[in-house]
Amino acid sequence: MGQFGMGQPVRRSEDRRFITGVGRYTDDVVLPRQAAGYVLRSPHAHATIGAIDVAAALAAPGVLGIFTGADLERDGIGKIPCVVPLKNRDGSRIKMVEHPLLAIGRARHVGDGVAFVVAETAAAAKDAAELIQVDYDILPAVADAVRATESGAPLVWDGIPNNLCFDWETGNRKATEAAFANAKHVIELNLINNRLVANSMEPRGALGAYDAAEERFTLYTSTQGSHAIRRLLAATVFRFAEHRIHVVTPDVGGGFGMKLFLYPEHGLVLYAARKLGRPVKWIGERSESFLSDAQGRDNVTRARLALDANLNFLAIDVETTANLGAYLSNFGTFIPTMAGTAMLAGVYRTPAAVVRVKGVYTNTVPVDAYRGAGRPEANYALERLVDHAARKLGVAPAELRRRNFIPPEAMPFKTVLGMTYDSGEFAKNLADAMKHADADGFAARKAQSAARGKLRGLGFSTYIEQCGGGFDEMAEIRFDSSGAVTVIVGSQSSGQGHQTAYAQLVADGLGIPFDRVRVHQGDTDVVGFGRGTGGSRSLPVAGNALSIAIGRIIDKGKKIAAHRLEAAEADIEFANGEYVIAGTDKRVSMTEVAQAAHNPLLLPAGFEPGFDEKAHYLPAAHTFPNGCHVCEVEIDPDTGVTTVLRYVVVDDFGNVVNPMLLAGQIHGGVVQGIGQALIEGCVYDGGGQLVTGSFMDYAMPHADDVPAIEFAYNVVPCRTNPLGVKGAGEAGAIGAPPAVINAVVDALAGLGVETIEMPATPHSVWRAIQQARA
């Protein structure tokens, strides 16, 4: 293991271009004769669309064209689908709807696209959009998912009663009901998992071009996977062969799940480019992000826990109403159901469970994956419920958890909800985290706060998540004649540090200089296959594909090395970047072998020149990262302001490729989790108007809102993949929200407060204090 080997804290090689301003994002791509697009969006949450008068706008300076939903429909342009069909709990088909690129006949949420204006400049397109006259007939709207299911609520879609898309269930209801009937204790808690806006640093954008001679589109866009966008555009929007669309994802300034999906603007810029014969670029403004980017969470949950006389968990029963928004996003049905509900088993030996989820249409922006994608919602419900149970039953929250942990010797352990955990030492994570956080000294610190008139609380949560599984991924290694390496991989970085991690794997595995490895992602003409990045799958899936390709390169090189060293291939060993004849000092480096591979005169007879290998890896199982978060807060009862004083994380991510990258991922996830718990909240009024439509109203966490995050990890290698790694990109956002809220509740418990909803803003906390004192 060298300076850049496996497990070393290598600084991110891509950061130099980012921090010096020479990164290349979608808006940095400029094509000849490029025009600009602007989407005119509905100001109404629900309205029928009559006439659209574009005459004045078409006559405005610089305007090249204006397109409506009717235009697209006439030209045979398709709609955006949800790609995960479900069945209702009774076996019937669910009520799925598709998302048109522009609204046809009815606008269903504020921000729904009504017309696409193309002009010489973005300013000209925006000015012209203000001249378009749309005949709206405003309809009643509903934004709250629970209210949307009530009798008499406005219908988002005709023919879908009670706005119910699906009524889905998993688990064993009969066994669960029996366990509750025989339980000594039954604990119940109602929870809200607040809606969030992703707010990536780089807004969404798209630049489309059309080559009439080749009859082929090119799309530059900020995504989490170019191939997925290409597949959907070809199959459902334009309905032609996939090879006729070339998608390029340049540098991406954050995604958090939100950039996984096909959006209307992807199709609009391509359609307009073909119609006008010029490239068309659309770059979303921040206000548009609030109105059109897929949002996250927005669940209302009732959770119940059954326990016996010894406080062993007997069963868990969870019912959730999930807000889907006005349209189904690509994975809208998957996120509140199959994406995370299996994690309601948590790290516990619970023998029975049932989970029911109702997916509901509302007049709001569509909801889909946001960092964690269903697992944060599940873990929040479970860990808040367990903490609540401990308080109601008069036992320490840590003790209740310890009594019910799955022990390491039980691995592999199949949970009641169908997941098989391969590894994990949950009690050790808890013990280490409590020690790091000095839980034993908390009582003294609490007394010090009380002496100053403040309320101090200590909260924690354990977690486990399923990630890094599912579909296959591809990685390819190409040596050029100089001995330098290009890695081609089907995942997509959006700020995680893939360039560094993959180069590190190659440098370590092949023993070549780290700075001689180049990583290529995101271009469908260069990368032949890819699934993109989501579900913390890049290292567990693409990394293992790369590891297999490394092994194949080594094996291929042995043939060349044996020829160069005049030895039998069976006598050749490889280590530290060199091929050696076993038991001798005769050797040749990997770089020399790669150079020889491009010279036919230096190769064995019949050996094809070149030094490339490709591998696909289909994971046998998900990985199951797990850990414990501990949060300590202090509350000013006069103002309700909550200060996070200390935050400790102890995780298990299996083998670690780069601890510096890992810590960065955890820090970012924790901050987003703290943001959800205390600060962030996307709010619609009763008429479907977005109240928090800008950073003036939607609060984001700042550096001074969080302390230094203390991060440690236990290495318990994953047993189901060759690298032994577990996914890490979403874990911080999974463990943090319940840890923070448990700490807030702990601080307020002396006043009789049993629960508080996210975000626990100063006003919410102050109000809870006043109500408790009344």
Side-chain angles (χ1 to χ4, degrees):
M1 179 189 298
Q3 178 185 357
F4 300 101
M6 181 88 166
Q8 297 302 301
V10 179
R11 289 186 178 275
R12 296 182 2 154
S13 56
E14 53 266 68
D15 281 356
R16 177 177 293 275
R17 73 174 189 272
F18 293 153
I19 64 177
T20 56
V22 294
R24 189 170 186 256
Y25 299 90
T26 299
D27 199 26
D28 295 316
V29 181
V30 179
L31 300 179
R33 301 179 63 244
Q34 175 180 294
Y38 179 81
V39 180
L40 176 68
R41 302 185 185 277
S42 170
H44 306 295
H46 200 193
T48 57
I49 300 172
I52 303 176
D53 185 351
V54 300
L58 276 172
V63 173
L64 302 172
I66 299 175
F67 309 101
T68 66
D71 296 322
L72 273 63
E73 195 170 42
R74 274 193 302 271
D75 286 344
I77 301 300
K79 301 176 183 178
I80 298 172
C82 174
V83 297
V84 185
L86 301 175
K87 286 191 176 180
N88 289 312
R89 57 199 293 260
D90 64 3
S92 61
R93 298 177 64 181
I94 70 173
K95 304 288 187 179
M96 298 182 74
V97 299
E98 293 183 314
H99 190 176
L101 303 192
L102 293 171
I104 301 171
R106 192 188 297 187
R108 290 182 165 85
H109 68 86
V110 174
D112 210 353
V114 174
F116 189 57
V117 182
V118 182
E120 295 289 353
T121 66
K126 190 173 184 180
D127 288 345
E130 295 181 359
L131 302 175
I132 298 175
Q133 298 295 315
V134 182
D135 182 13
Y136 291 109
D137 185 6
I138 300 173
L139 301 172
V142 61
D144 179 87
V146 173
R147 194 172 80 81
T149 63
E150 295 173 354
S151 177
L155 294 181
V156 180
W157 293 89
D158 296 336
I160 300 183
N162 302 111
N163 295 302
L164 189 65
C165 173
F166 61 78
D167 184 356
W168 178 89
E169 186 170 290
T170 188
N172 188 324
R173 179 164 292 279
K174 184 176 180 181
T176 301
E177 289 175 349
F180 272 90
N182 295 318
K184 175 68 174 178
H185 307 283
V186 173
I187 305 298
E188 183 171 328
L189 185 63
N190 295 315
L191 299 159
I192 295 174
N193 206 292
N194 45 322
R195 182 183 281 240
L196 301 173
V197 179
N199 281 319
S200 57
M201 187 177 293
E202 177 206 21
R204 289 191 300 112
L207 168 59
Y210 182 69
D211 185 329
E214 295 287 334
E215 295 185 329
R216 192 166 191 252
F217 288 117
T218 297
L219 175 67
Y220 298 87
T221 185
S222 179
T223 79
Q224 290 175 231
S226 296
H227 290 83
I229 301 302
R230 183 178 72 167
R231 281 191 290 270
L232 286 173
L233 281 170
T236 68
V237 175
F238 293 104
R239 302 187 183 101
F240 54 41
E242 200 173 319
H243 72 272
R244 291 179 57 190
I245 303 178
H246 173 207
V247 178
V248 181
T249 298
D251 289 327
V252 180
F256 312 119
M258 179 270 293
K259 289 181 180 174
L260 270 171
F261 321 121
L262 179 64
Y263 285 95
E265 295 84 4
H266 292 137
L268 289 174
V269 295
L270 295 177
Y271 172 80
R274 184 170 65 180
K275 294 289 284 189
L276 299 173
R278 293 178 60 174
V280 176
K281 178 188 282 186
W282 169 83
I283 298 295
E285 298 178 354
R286 184 62 64 183
S287 59
E288 288 183 279
S289 297
F290 281 91
L291 298 175
S292 64
D293 293 357
Q295 296 174 354
R297 316 292 193 243
D298 203 348
N299 290 352
V300 178
T301 296
R302 188 215 65 178
R304 296 194 304 148
L305 181 66
L307 305 92
D308 67 14
N310 295 318
L311 304 187
N312 295 306
F313 298 170
L314 299 178
I316 185 171
D317 178 358
V318 177
E319 291 192 6
T320 291
T321 299
N323 196 331
L324 304 175
Y327 303 100
L328 290 180
S329 183
N330 294 157
F331 301 97
T333 57
F334 177 70
I335 301 307
T337 56
M338 295 182 289
T341 52
M343 294 299 97
L344 283 161
V347 293
Y348 308 113
R349 293 177 284 102
T350 314
V354 66
V355 184
R356 182 180 181 183
V357 182
K358 294 181 179 180
V360 180
Y361 293 113
T362 64
N363 295 112
T364 63
V365 172
V367 176
D368 210 312
Y370 173 73
R371 197 170 192 166
R375 285 101 73 201
E377 296 91 316
N379 194 62
Y380 182 72
L382 177 63
E383 288 298 297
R384 283 290 296 119
L385 178 62
V386 171
D387 227 62
H388 185 62
R391 296 186 185 283
K392 297 292 281 187
L393 298 171
V395 62
E399 174 58 25
L400 184 60
R401 287 173 169 86
R402 276 192 289 265
R403 291 190 191 189
N404 290 279
F405 279 150
I406 302 164
E409 59 270 20
M411 301 296 175
F413 183 88
K414 186 171 183 178
T415 74
V416 66
L417 290 173
M419 289 289 124
T420 299
Y421 303 160
D422 65 282
S423 58
E425 297 180 7
F426 311 134
K428 178 173 174 54
N429 291 338
L430 173 62
D432 289 353
M434 298 294 274
K435 182 178 179 181
H436 279 295
D438 186 24
D440 290 343
F442 173 71
R445 297 192 297 277
K446 185 177 182 71
Q448 292 170 359
S449 292
R452 294 184 287 106
K454 303 295 177 66
L455 306 172
R456 188 180 285 243
L458 184 71
F460 56 93
S461 72
T462 57
Y463 81 92
I464 189 167
E465 62 151 328
Q466 67 188 84
C467 65
F471 298 107
D472 60 331
E473 193 52 270
M474 181 278 299
E476 184 176 357
I477 297 173
R478 296 180 183 174
F479 275 88
D480 66 21
S481 58
S482 74
V485 176
T486 296
V487 172
I488 297 171
V489 65
S491 65
Q492 177 62 53
S493 177
S494 55
Q496 300 94 327
H498 290 183
Q499 178 178 317
T500 301
Y502 292 144
Q504 206 168 338
L505 286 175
V506 171
D508 183 68
L510 298 181
I512 60 176
F514 175 84
D515 60 5
R516 301 201 74 186
V517 182
R518 190 165 61 95
V519 177
H520 201 115
Q521 304 175 85
D523 187 329
T524 59
D525 276 8
V526 176
V527 183
F529 174 89
R531 301 286 188 185
T533 292
S536 301
R537 68 190 308 272
S538 293
L539 272 180
V541 186
N544 276 291
L546 185 57
S547 177
I548 294 169
I550 289 168
R552 291 176 179 173
I553 281 285
I554 291 170
D555 290 344
K556 188 173 186 177
K558 282 184 179 180
K559 295 179 173 59
I560 302 172
H563 180 72
R564 298 287 294 139
L565 295 171
E566 299 180 336
E569 184 180 340
D571 293 333
I572 300 296
E573 298 176 346
F574 180 80
N576 301 317
E578 294 182 320
Y579 292 95
V580 181
I581 301 176
T584 76
D585 60 356
K586 298 181 68 175
R587 64 193 66 225
V588 62
S589 72
M590 173 62 77
T591 299
E592 291 171 316
V593 166
Q595 291 170 338
H598 290 83
N599 187 342
L601 300 178
L602 301 178
L603 294 175
F607 197 97
E608 184 75 21
F611 205 37
D612 309 333
E613 280 294 344
K614 180 190 295 185
H616 282 252
Y617 175 73
L618 177 64
H622 288 93
T623 70
F624 294 96
N626 57 88
C628 180
H629 289 220
V630 182
C631 178
E632 191 164 330
V633 303
E634 187 176 71
I635 296 173
D636 183 340
D638 294 331
T639 64
V641 171
T642 299
T643 302
V644 181
L645 300 173
R646 192 172 185 189
Y647 203 96
V648 172
V649 182
V650 175
D651 282 321
D652 162 21
F653 294 117
N655 292 330
V656 174
V657 173
N658 185 319
M660 186 180 293
L661 293 184
L662 178 61
Q665 287 296 295
I666 302 313
H667 290 179
V670 166
V671 171
Q672 285 180 287
I674 292 174
Q676 176 175 14
L678 297 179
I679 299 167
E680 297 184 54
C682 180
V683 179
Y684 287 86
D685 68 16
Q689 287 292 327
L690 182 60
V691 177
T692 52
S694 74
F695 288 147
M696 293 294 290
D697 303 296
Y698 185 99
M700 294 283 285
H702 294 74
D704 59 356
D705 290 318
V706 296
I709 296 164
E710 302 168 52
F711 171 57
Y713 54 87
N714 292 316
V715 176
V716 184
C718 179
R719 301 174 184 175
T720 59
N721 67 66
L723 287 175
V725 298
K726 303 174 184 178
E730 296 159 295
I734 294 170
V740 175
I741 296 299
N742 285 342
V744 172
V745 172
D746 185 58
L748 301 176
L751 302 175
V753 176
E754 293 187 344
T755 189
I756 192 165
E757 300 295 356
M758 298 188 292
T761 61
H763 179 259
S764 296
V765 173
W766 180 87
R767 184 174 55 195
I769 293 170
Q770 302 312 307
Q771 290 172 347
R773 287 175 172 174

